[in-house]
Amino acid sequence: MDPKKTTPPSSITVPSHTSPPTTIVVPSTTVPSGVSTSSVQQTTPLSKSSKEYEPTCPVFKFTGIPWYCSEYSFKKALHPSVLQYAQKWAVDKGDLIVDFLVVLERSDDEIRWSRWDGQNGDNTAKLIVPEALFVGNPFPKVQEMLVEYGTGTVKIKVGVEKFDLPASDRAQYCQLYRDLVGHKYKLGYLPHPLAQTDAARVISVDCGNFTDDGLFEPACNWAITGDDFNTLNLFESVRPKKFQVCTAVQGDGISKSNKWEGQWMDITFNNIDSIIIAKDLGNPMYRDIYFLVKRPPQFYRRRQNQQVPGSTDVQPQSITRAGFIAAPDSAKLPIDERISFPTLGRSALELEVLGVPWYIQTCRVYRLKVRLYVQASDFLQILSPREQQDVKILVDIPVEDVKEAIEGTLLKDILPKLEHYPLEVSLSMLKLLLNCNIAPVDVGAVMTCVQPLVKTGARLCEILDKSAEDMETRNIRTFKRIIKGKSGALSDEFTIIAPVQAIEHWMKQSIVKAKNTFFYVSIYPAHIELQGPKEIPINSLTDTFQSQKERFLCVTFLDNGGGPYRLEPNIDPDSIISQRVVTFLQQPLHLGGQIFDFLAYSTSGLKSRNVVWFFARDTSDKEYPDAAHIRAWIGDWALDDLDTKKLVKNSSKWGARMGQAFTFSTSVVSLKPGEWLVEKDVENKSKPPLAYTDGCGFITAGLCEKINEVYLKGSEKKCTAFQIRFGGAKGVVYRAPKCLFLPENRQKSSMVLRDSLIKFHVPHEKDAPIPLRIVSAAHDFRPAYFNKPLLKCLEDIKCDPIIILANFKEHFSRMDRLSPQDLVSLQDEDAEDEDAPRRFDPVVKVVQHIFANGVTRAQLSGSFLERCLLSREQKRHIYDPYKVPIPASYTVLGVTDDCQVLPKKHVYVRAKGITVAGQVLVYRNPIIHIGDIQAAQAVSDDVLKGLIHDLKLTDELKADVFASLTTMDNVIFFSQKDDRPLPNELSGGDVDGDKFHILTLGSGFWGPKTELAEPAIYNPDETPPPTETPCDMGKLCSFVGTFIRNDCLGQLSTTLMIIADYLPGGLNHTECKKLAISISRAVDFQKNGMPVDFRELSKDPVLQIHARPHFTRPLASKPFYDSHGNFYHSNNLLGQIFDLAQTYIVDKLPDLDNKLDLVLLEIVKKDVPQPGGFIGTSLNTILLTDWNLFEVEFAGRMKTRKCTASEIFVPSTRYNDVLKGIMERRKNAMLTALVQYKVLDDADGVLTLGTGHTKDQATKFFKYLLFEAWQFAVDIYRHTETPGRAEIGMSYAAFWLHLFYEWALPV
């Protein structure tokens, strides 16, 4: 069998140097039965030459393409002749329909600015034949149609050439190559398309809102000046597709002088809710176009480059078509930057809302007065929803302006009144004003409506929160009224709920109130949104300050798309980061009549979601009046010792240490001074020394038992190792043998910590008890999972790809027949934030319950619950097809061998209740260097007993050591006799909470031929220069902005996978090893404050990516999903797995029969207590009302997310609160029933037991009603004949079944 060839990217220069691997011989591999042992020969590396490679796909070159023609419109012009012919040809031959890729040399954005600079010119494009996965490529026939065609009134002559490419060794291209070589093409004709920069000429831009009467109320106007740049630009080739329009141009000639400034805004299609093209008033070519947007557009500015004379750092740097930064050609390049809002608005409106003018914050309608270059019907075609963009469009709607526009009246009049409300009520009211866009005429009615409930505090907050979800914005309500007037009827999806109507509805409901709630603010580039009240995370801060929970405010910095800020090609983000991040942190935040100050952040929250915390001032609180006093409570930052001096003068490290207080944790027991002590670490003899005990301590068996009693209350599981927070200490402790407490200084202690655990000191730690808090425990077994870096590393150390592929194929093939054991792998294995609880996952909980009740896997087949599980697994498969459990693998918590019984390069592993023995591979995520996987010898219990025998202890103590170690679980002990601590060799790890992954020989894919590489040397102590001022909050604020600006870990990791795919030796190549050091630095950026200069790093020619391997595309996308990125087909292991995963995408879920319901009804009914003695109104009336609300809401959620009912249950960070909200509505309906039955009393918004009822009676009736509600839901969908409605009914039943199993009486 010939070795497979890797398809290299085009225009890549491959360095000729490689680094040979170090060979480590391990015992022979055990191959699973039924799996072939034939080895796949490794992919032949690319030639060590400097020539530039060409793609193997056939490529045509088009010249003379007009500048106004976008990639999308050019491809669309070819569509009638090329694609229609291809479709007919394919149908005749019984093959699939072919598609092709068009890539312009100059992007839409580059064309636009070239036009501004007066350099239109023609463009050049490549047309690439896709990777046909079927026999018989029709393109040889299709190319004959590229001669003398054209249907428009204007025809453009386009040249067509053929690239001279080597013959492909793939069968489907052989005939194509023979047909094309030496063939000369005639000139073709291209119909004049609707150009992206010639769609319309913009006369002016207004922002405002619609009134309830359908009138437009303008708030600000920009008159467009400059004839060269006043067009409405459509960018069809970008993702997401967008409109772009200039809002202001200044200067004495755009293309004649560098002293100018241009401003524009992008309106992306995913930000557009609706579009109205107003009826013309005499001239059909002059129209008003109204964009109803969900959030303000993205605003930009282009200005002259103010480079410092003599500076060698040229800004900004250009970015290649693939999205990677390259060095600029000239210092005269202008700077394009993001801004919060455009200038030149009406100067009289000075009122700001957290840094932006009120009209940017509150206005959600942007009107463009335009002169169309085409007929309105043609213009409508470009607005028609494509690619599942849900944009509603109305045409020829008469729209008039209001006679007198408001000037900030809403905020000027209302904001001062909110200061007199309690803080949480004030924030809830402000949320309605900012998020729901309430009209001035409605505000007075809303405030009158809620006034009687102001004193109820939390209850009113919950009412306003749920009302906000129902009422939508006034612009959307007006749009629905327009549709009603046009169609004469309203469907369920166009139900209009006015603000007061929504509030009055929820005032009548019994509300489930969270015990501790808080608000959070989302800071976008041009506006803010308030969310809440939400359940506050459990950590040391919120536990201590429960009575002041409303003073905490969570702030997250988001881009317009709702995610973290991302680097845009050719856009300088410094201005927007300064305006919307650093300035916000440095200045007091005025909200709801209160002043909030920046408090601190958690490292995981900042890294994953750009989250920080604020705290409200309160001068009446003498102990904790402001954020500074809370920081003083977190830690003792006085300069009493050298370590504290170093800490408080390093802003990033100081911020990371304060973040320990925000870690999600549970308090279990408090330890008094004398019950714990701190000792020096055990270190090796290197310079500087490395600690074997880095982050690890130990506890007595008695303390371990106390922890389990609280942390795992009611559970039969027992844990022996814990990740902890203890004052200023952070790390891991494990249950130690008695012999470790024999030294005199330890005899009175229950816990021994090391210096490495003490990150800072807390006030009064020497004379007051300190709570011991548990972050996590090693009690649940988890296998290790494949991932991209791991798979690439396994391939490059010569593991057997046949066995690995067999594992993937076996896993993919059983996705449609999940067993009870598979539920473990269905649990969310993603790394969660340390400061946040796990995701809400009701379906898996329910299935675990019904399996425990005796339901078999066969009975689950065809049920709605099975469909939910399959939807969940399919989504995970598409999102990350590489995340598959590794057979015979374990994920364990790392600890150190304090008994010092293990020899060098030996470990002791306990997992899943057994001792893992033999040769193992050990690693930790993320793998960034080929040496991050190392081998070790795992000792058996018999070997361990012999090692313990050599200890100088009594037989009784030796027996205790053996019993203590052999009853541990899900841990790995590392030797203290290694020359270099083994955890440090594994991606620079330690034992302060790191999870390690164990691969045994039973995995089958590694053995004697495996070649392990030398581990990398990481430098964990690298830090920036200290600041002069200790505890400098200004520096800390600047660091947060710097982190958001320079966080490039994702880009670096992706780049590593790309270059490792084509460089000889993969991860073993010198360039990959160099990049690994930069990635290691980026991993610790939020702690050590040392950024990676991605712009500087990307100047390296090796990192200037011109083509990407196809496995970097989304799995469910078409072969060429992003026309801006050139892809090549990779035959390496990741590419083969990607190809395999594509064959297991399920387009249609199995039909539903729901025989399971009859089985479940009988099983569950046995456990339902018969209440007896309760007389009240019918439950059906309440449930019928609740079902009608659920049906409308759930159908709306399905429409919004473009998914099926079962897919709503798929856990996701974005929709976690949505799912919880739907669940809470069912709880509210049940509480309403309990109040009506007088089982509960809801006086003054506080739920208590009804008069004459015991807790036991109420609980029985509560369970009975939950069962009745579930049975009611089952009866609804079993008797409906509409499939879509039936599936929504099944969802309704699933919620009630979850509540039956999981919900306890809330009194």
Side-chain angles (χ1 to χ4, degrees):
M1 179 179 178
D2 293 334
K4 294 186 177 181
K5 297 181 180 179
T6 300
T7 306
S10 61
S11 303
I12 293 291
T13 301
V14 181
S16 60
H17 50 279
T18 60
S19 179
T22 300
T23 302
I24 296 182
V25 180
V26 293
S28 59
T29 304
T30 303
V31 181
S33 59
V35 178
S36 172
T37 58
S38 61
S39 175
V40 170
Q41 297 192 40
Q42 296 297 313
T43 301
T44 303
L46 305 182
S47 172
K48 301 177 183 179
S49 67
S50 59
K51 68 168 290 186
E52 292 186 346
Y53 292 91
E54 295 285 0
T56 58
C57 295
V59 177
F60 297 88
K61 182 178 180 181
F62 292 84
T63 56
I65 299 172
W67 60 267
Y68 54 73
C69 192
S70 67
E71 289 174 352
Y72 182 91
S73 55
F74 180 64
K75 182 173 178 179
K76 183 180 177 183
L78 295 177
H79 188 282
S81 294
V82 178
L83 289 188
Q84 285 185 8
Y85 185 88
Q87 181 174 356
K88 181 180 183 303
W89 194 93
V91 170
D92 291 343
K93 298 296 183 181
D95 291 318
L96 300 178
I97 299 174
V98 74
D99 199 356
F100 55 82
L101 170 69
V102 171
V103 181
L104 291 177
E105 283 191 355
R106 291 190 298 164
S107 68
D108 294 348
D109 205 41
E110 292 169 328
I111 296 169
R112 174 176 180 271
W113 288 116
S114 295
R115 186 188 179 206
W116 192 346
D117 295 334
Q119 301 172 0
N120 291 340
D122 290 336
N123 209 347
T124 301
K126 291 180 182 179
L127 183 120
I128 305 177
V129 181
E131 305 150 5
L133 300 179
F134 47 87
V135 179
N137 194 323
F139 205 82
K141 300 289 185 182
V142 173
Q143 53 89 10
E144 297 175 2
M145 303 299 297
L146 297 178
V147 180
E148 302 289 340
Y149 77 89
T151 58
T153 57
V154 180
K155 298 184 179 181
I156 291 90
K157 190 175 291 186
V158 178
V160 185
E161 301 175 12
K162 171 66 178 66
F163 275 79
D164 291 329
L165 299 179
S168 171
D169 60 350
R170 303 172 72 176
Q172 59 262 43
Y173 291 134
C174 291
Q175 183 61 41
L176 176 62
Y177 173 77
R178 286 192 290 271
D179 290 345
L180 296 181
V181 169
H183 194 287
K184 294 183 179 180
Y185 294 93
K186 299 179 182 179
L187 294 179
Y189 288 89
L190 179 67
H192 193 305
L194 181 63
Q196 88 275 13
T197 50
D198 268 358
R201 178 170 64 87
V202 181
I203 300 171
S204 67
V205 180
D206 299 89
C207 68
N209 289 303
F210 283 127
T211 66
D212 288 339
D213 297 329
L215 301 176
F216 180 64
E217 188 175 49
C220 187
N221 171 266
W222 296 276
I224 307 303
T225 61
D227 293 337
D228 291 339
F229 199 63
N230 59 358
T231 55
L232 174 63
N233 308 293
L234 173 62
F235 288 82
E236 300 175 294
S237 303
V238 299
R239 299 292 183 273
K241 188 171 61 175
K242 66 183 179 182
F243 285 101
Q244 195 171 86
V245 61
C246 182
T247 55
V249 177
Q250 293 177 307
D252 56 351
I254 298 174
S255 26
K256 298 178 183 179
S257 171
N258 285 329
K259 298 179 180 179
W260 51 261
E261 181 180 271
Q263 298 181 66
W264 74 94
M265 63 182 179
D266 284 355
I267 305 177
T268 57
F269 266 56
N270 59 4
N271 189 33
I272 300 174
D273 182 271
S274 318
I275 298 175
I276 296 176
I277 302 178
K279 188 174 183 179
D280 69 275
L281 301 177
N283 190 330
M285 303 308 289
Y286 285 87
R287 296 293 185 109
D288 289 353
I289 304 175
Y290 296 85
F291 292 93
L292 281 68
V293 296
K294 304 168 187 175
R295 299 186 178 107
Q298 296 180 185
F299 298 105
Y300 299 83
R301 175 174 62 200
R302 164 169 276 210
R303 59 182 174 83
Q304 182 183 2
N305 184 9
Q306 303 294 331
Q307 185 184 359
V308 179
S311 171
T312 58
D313 186 15
V314 180
Q315 295 289 339
Q317 295 172 324
S318 61
I319 296 183
T320 68
R321 293 299 312 282
F324 286 81
I325 302 172
D329 298 327
S330 170
K332 295 181 180 180
L333 288 173
I335 292 179
D336 298 339
E337 58 186 6
R338 286 283 296 276
I339 55 177
S340 278
F341 57 92
T343 58
L344 301 182
R346 293 193 296 187
S347 58
L349 304 178
E350 299 296 339
L351 179 63
E352 290 189 346
V353 180
L354 299 185
V356 297
W358 70 270
Y359 51 86
I360 298 294
Q361 169 66 48
T362 61
C363 295
R364 292 296 182 271
V365 180
Y366 284 77
R367 178 178 65 184
L368 275 57
K369 289 184 175 292
V370 301
R371 196 277 188 200
L372 297 178
Y373 289 147
V374 294
Q375 295 295 325
S377 58
D378 294 331
F379 183 77
L380 183 63
Q381 291 182 3
I382 67 173
L383 300 180
S384 299
R386 294 193 187 99
E387 300 158 7
Q388 298 183 341
Q389 293 286 358
D390 187 22
V391 179
K392 298 175 285 292
I393 304 173
L394 294 180
V395 184
D396 290 337
I397 303 298
V399 181
E400 297 181 3
D401 286 8
V402 296
K403 294 181 179 180
E404 294 183 5
I406 63 168
E407 295 188 359
T409 305
L410 172 64
L411 296 177
K412 285 182 178 178
D413 295 343
I414 302 304
L415 289 181
K417 296 180 181 179
L418 297 181
E419 298 180 6
H420 304 291
Y421 288 166
L423 178 57
E424 55 187 351
V425 175
S426 175
L427 292 176
S428 291
M429 289 294 296
L430 186 62
K431 172 184 172 181
L432 286 183
L433 298 180
L434 298 180
N435 296 13
C436 296
N437 197 240
I438 297 179
V441 69
D442 291 324
V443 174
V446 168
M447 298 187 75
T448 302
C449 180
V450 303
Q451 190 63 40
L453 292 177
V454 168
K455 293 184 179 180
T456 63
R459 176 180 171 83
L460 178 56
C461 292
E462 295 284 348
I463 290 174
L464 294 178
D465 178 46
K466 290 171 171 53
S467 302
E469 296 181 17
D470 290 342
M471 67 180 65
E472 300 180 300
T473 68
R474 57 171 158 155
N475 295 307
I476 301 302
R477 293 196 299 273
T478 300
F479 186 82
K480 289 181 177 180
R481 288 190 179 95
I482 294 174
I483 294 179
K484 179 180 180 181
K486 197 174 176 77
S487 63
L490 275 178
S491 62
D492 289 339
E493 64 180 291
F494 290 117
T495 302
I496 301 173
I497 303 177
V500 173
Q501 179 185 356
I503 293 172
E504 288 178 343
H505 165 75
W506 284 107
M507 288 174 65
K508 298 175 183 178
Q509 307 299 315
S510 296
I511 302 294
V512 179
K513 298 180 291 295
K515 295 181 180 179
N516 299 301
T517 58
F518 76 113
F519 286 80
Y520 66 89
V521 181
S522 298
I523 309 293
Y524 290 88
H527 76 295
I528 71 164
E529 292 180 6
L530 265 72
Q531 304 295 335
K534 304 293 182 183
E535 187 173 351
I536 199 165
I538 302 174
N539 54 50
S540 61
L541 266 182
T542 55
D543 274 1
T544 304
F545 297 97
Q546 283 191 30
S547 61
Q548 303 178 66
K549 60 185 182 300
E550 69 279 358
R551 294 175 65 186
F552 288 94
L553 188 71
C554 183
V555 175
T556 179
F557 298 99
L558 301 173
D559 210 342
N560 263 38
Y565 281 89
R566 294 188 180 276
L567 183 66
E568 294 183 77
N570 297 318
I571 301 298
D572 184 0
D574 289 342
S575 178
I576 197 70
I577 295 295
S578 175
Q579 293 175 21
R580 302 302 284 171
V581 178
V582 178
T583 300
F584 260 92
L585 298 174
Q586 291 177 339
Q587 298 179 356
L589 187 61
H590 295 262
L591 275 180
Q594 292 287 337
I595 301 176
F596 292 84
D597 295 305
F598 174 43
L599 173 61
Y601 59 83
S602 77
T603 53
S604 59
L606 179 64
K607 185 176 181 179
S608 61
R609 295 176 287 121
N610 294 346
V611 169
V612 300
W613 288 84
F614 279 64
F615 189 71
R617 300 178 188 177
D618 185 356
T619 54
S620 64
D621 187 340
K622 302 302 181 184
E623 191 173 6
Y624 300 105
D626 54 28
H629 286 75
I630 298 295
R631 286 192 292 271
W633 175 88
I634 293 176
D636 183 3
W637 313 118
L639 306 179
D640 294 335
D641 58 65
L642 183 61
D643 290 338
T644 305
K645 283 184 180 180
K646 292 180 180 179
L647 173 63
V648 298
K649 288 192 175 186
N650 183 332
S651 299
S652 59
K653 186 160 288 188
W654 179 50
R657 297 305 176 233
M658 287 193 294
Q660 292 178 206
F662 296 94
T663 301
F664 186 83
S665 58
T666 304
S667 179
V668 289
V669 65
S670 293
L671 297 181
K672 301 176 183 178
E675 294 182 326
W676 58 279
L677 76 151
V678 180
E679 296 182 348
K680 292 183 178 181
D681 282 282
V682 181
E683 299 174 336
N684 68 356
K685 298 180 180 180
S686 65
K687 294 183 180 180
L690 297 173
Y692 297 108
T693 56
D694 191 358
C696 186
F698 50 86
I699 58 177
T700 63
L703 179 56
C704 182
E705 187 64 29
K706 291 180 181 179
I707 293 173
N708 279 306
E709 289 175 0
V710 178
Y711 187 65
L712 297 176
K713 186 177 181 180
S715 173
E716 297 180 358
K717 298 178 181 178
K718 299 299 178 183
C719 301
T720 53
F722 308 90
Q723 188 178 2
I724 67 163
R725 297 293 185 270
F726 182 71
K730 168 184 178 291
V732 165
V733 293
Y734 68 94
R735 185 197 63 194
K738 295 177 183 178
C739 65
L740 293 182
F741 289 91
L742 289 179
E744 185 176 352
N745 64 321
R746 299 179 182 174
Q747 290 179 1
K748 296 181 180 180
S749 300
S750 299
M751 180 170 68
V752 176
L753 305 178
R754 268 50 185 257
D755 286 335
S756 57
L757 278 84
I758 309 301
K759 308 303 181 182
F760 60 90
H761 298 284
V762 297
H764 315 298
E765 69 177 25
K766 295 181 179 179
D767 52 15
I770 299 177
L772 178 63
R773 305 185 66 88
I774 304 301
V775 176
S776 63
H779 59 81
D780 287 331
F781 161 72
R782 291 287 184 270
Y785 284 78
F786 287 114
N787 56 58
K788 280 185 182 179
L790 172 63
L791 286 163
K792 185 57 188 168
C793 192
L794 293 175
E795 180 183 37
D796 292 340
I797 63 175
K798 303 300 188 295
C799 291
D800 192 338
I802 278 288
I803 306 296
I804 295 176
L805 284 168
N807 288 327
F808 275 88
K809 186 172 183 179
E810 194 277 333
H811 177 81
F812 292 159
S813 65
R814 62 184 176 87
M815 285 195 301
D816 60 345
R817 46 187 175 87
L818 297 168
S819 66
Q821 292 74 22
D822 291 324
L823 292 178
V824 174
S825 64
L826 279 174
Q827 300 296 325
D828 188 10
E829 291 298 327
D830 295 331
E832 296 286 343
D833 294 343
E834 290 182 348
D835 58 336
R838 295 180 68 83
R839 293 175 185 170
F840 184 52
D841 196 354
V843 170
V844 170
K845 290 274 189 183
V846 168
V847 175
Q848 287 174 331
H849 279 294
I850 65 176
F851 277 147
N853 286 340
V855 173
T856 64
R857 176 61 186 84
Q859 290 172 317
L860 188 67
S861 179
S863 68
F864 178 74
L865 291 175
E866 182 195 44
R867 176 172 283 199
C868 290
L869 291 177
L870 294 179
S871 297
R872 187 189 195 284
E873 185 70 355
Q874 186 63 209
K875 180 178 179 180
R876 190 175 71 166
H877 173 71
I878 292 174
Y879 177 75
D880 187 1
Y882 302 98
K883 189 175 180 181
V884 168
I886 304 175
S889 68
Y890 308 91
T891 296
V892 291
L893 183 66
V895 295
T896 187
D897 172 27
D898 283 298
C899 294
Q900 298 186 345
V901 298
L902 294 174
K904 183 186 297 186
K905 287 295 181 182
H906 283 61
V907 295
Y908 181 65
V909 182
R910 290 281 301 174
K912 208 176 179 180
I914 63 172
T915 299
V916 178
Q919 195 80 14
V920 295
L921 295 182
V922 189
Y923 69 96
R924 62 181 287 269
N925 290 321
I927 288 179
I928 57 179
H929 187 278
I930 194 170
D932 286 342
I933 298 181
Q934 293 297 316
Q937 182 69 38
V939 302
S940 65
D941 287 344
D942 290 338
V943 173
L944 178 68
K945 182 177 289 187
L947 295 172
I948 294 174
H949 180 75
D950 295 335
L951 295 176
K952 296 180 180 180
L953 297 172
T954 64
D955 291 342
E956 181 182 355
L957 289 176
K958 290 178 182 179
D960 177 70
V961 172
F962 182 77
S964 178
L965 297 183
T966 54
T967 55
M968 300 284 289
D969 205 11
N970 300 314
V971 296
I972 177 173
F973 283 89
F974 291 103
S975 172
Q976 294 188 6
K977 299 176 183 177
D978 293 332
D979 296 331
R980 174 184 172 188
L982 183 56
N984 186 262
E985 296 182 357
L986 311 176
S987 304
D990 50 36
V991 284
D992 70 346
D994 289 354
K995 298 291 180 64
F996 295 87
H997 307 288
I998 312 298
L999 305 181
T1000 68
L1001 290 170
S1003 60
F1005 50 76
W1006 65 279
K1009 296 182 180 179
T1010 302
E1011 300 176 357
L1012 300 181
E1014 290 294 326
I1017 298 177
Y1018 300 99
N1019 185 11
D1021 297 326
E1022 187 179 21
T1023 57
T1027 62
E1028 294 184 3
T1029 306
C1031 303
D1032 191 332
M1033 288 301 295
K1035 293 289 186 182
L1036 187 61
C1037 296
S1038 297
F1039 169 73
V1040 174
T1042 301
F1043 177 81
I1044 294 175
R1045 166 69 172 78
N1046 293 291
D1047 182 22
C1048 58
L1049 179 60
Q1051 293 102 312
L1052 290 174
S1053 301
T1054 300
T1055 302
L1056 179 65
M1057 289 295 97
I1058 293 173
I1059 67 173
D1061 187 70
Y1062 68 78
L1063 288 176
L1067 289 175
N1068 205 41
H1069 195 281
T1070 304
E1071 295 295 338
C1072 291
K1073 293 180 178 179
K1074 284 170 53 180
L1075 185 58
I1077 302 303
S1078 296
I1079 296 176
S1080 173
R1081 189 173 172 183
V1083 168
D1084 293 328
F1085 175 25
Q1086 79 277 11
K1087 291 186 289 187
N1088 62 26
M1090 294 296 293
V1092 175
D1093 190 342
F1094 190 56
R1095 294 181 178 229
E1096 187 67 27
L1097 194 67
S1098 299
K1099 293 178 182 178
D1100 187 339
V1102 177
L1103 304 185
Q1104 292 179 12
I1105 309 299
H1106 298 273
R1108 302 176 178 220
H1110 74 297
F1111 61 76
T1112 58
R1113 298 192 316 253
L1115 180 64
S1117 70
K1118 296 179 180 178
F1120 295 102
Y1121 175 77
D1122 182 1
S1123 60
H1124 282 194
N1126 294 329
F1127 294 104
Y1128 67 91
H1129 190 281
S1130 171
N1131 284 335
N1132 288 324
L1133 179 59
L1134 289 175
Q1136 294 180 55
I1137 294 173
F1138 187 88
D1139 293 339
L1140 180 65
Q1142 282 188 313
T1143 64
Y1144 285 93
I1145 296 179
V1146 179
D1147 294 327
K1148 183 180 178 182
L1149 294 171
D1151 294 332
L1152 296 170
D1153 59 33
N1154 278 284
K1155 297 176 182 177
L1156 175 68
D1157 298 323
L1158 300 177
V1159 177
L1160 280 180
L1161 283 171
E1162 294 302 318
I1163 292 176
V1164 176
K1165 194 171 184 178
K1166 298 176 183 178
D1167 298 327
V1168 176
Q1170 298 300 317
F1174 288 92
I1175 300 175
T1177 59
S1178 172
L1179 176 66
N1180 281 10
T1181 303
I1182 297 171
L1183 292 177
L1184 191 58
T1185 302
D1186 182 65
W1187 158 244
N1188 291 332
L1189 291 172
F1190 176 88
E1191 187 176 14
V1192 173
E1193 178 188 24
F1194 213 73
R1197 297 295 182 190
M1198 292 165 60
K1199 182 177 178 62
T1200 300
R1201 294 181 61 180
K1202 303 180 183 66
C1203 65
T1204 64
S1206 60
E1207 290 173 324
I1208 293 285
F1209 288 90
V1210 177
S1212 69
T1213 302
R1214 184 176 182 182
Y1215 293 102
N1216 201 41
D1217 289 337
V1218 170
L1219 203 59
K1220 284 186 175 181
I1222 296 174
M1223 188 71 75
E1224 277 200 6
R1225 283 165 174 71
R1226 313 295 70 82
K1227 290 183 177 181
N1228 291 328
M1230 183 54 61
L1231 290 179
T1232 300
L1234 289 170
V1235 170
Q1236 289 191 14
Y1237 278 101
K1238 298 183 180 180
V1239 177
L1240 296 180
D1241 185 28
D1242 191 22
D1244 298 325
V1246 179
L1247 289 173
T1248 58
L1249 285 174
T1251 304
H1253 298 303
T1254 65
K1255 179 71 175 290
D1256 183 62
Q1257 288 176 321
T1259 300
K1260 286 182 178 180
F1261 194 69
F1262 172 67
K1263 277 291 184 184
Y1264 172 76
L1265 289 185
L1266 287 175
F1267 174 76
E1268 288 293 315
W1270 175 54
Q1271 188 167 256
F1272 169 87
V1274 171
D1275 289 339
I1276 278 184
Y1277 73 74
R1278 287 178 62 193
H1279 294 93
T1280 183
E1281 297 179 358
T1282 307
R1285 192 169 187 259
E1287 193 170 0
I1288 295 176
M1290 296 170 195
S1291 303
Y1292 188 57
F1295 277 109
W1296 283 117
L1297 187 58
H1298 172 83
L1299 291 174
F1300 176 83
Y1301 282 121
E1302 294 288 324
W1303 192 25
L1305 186 68
V1307 292

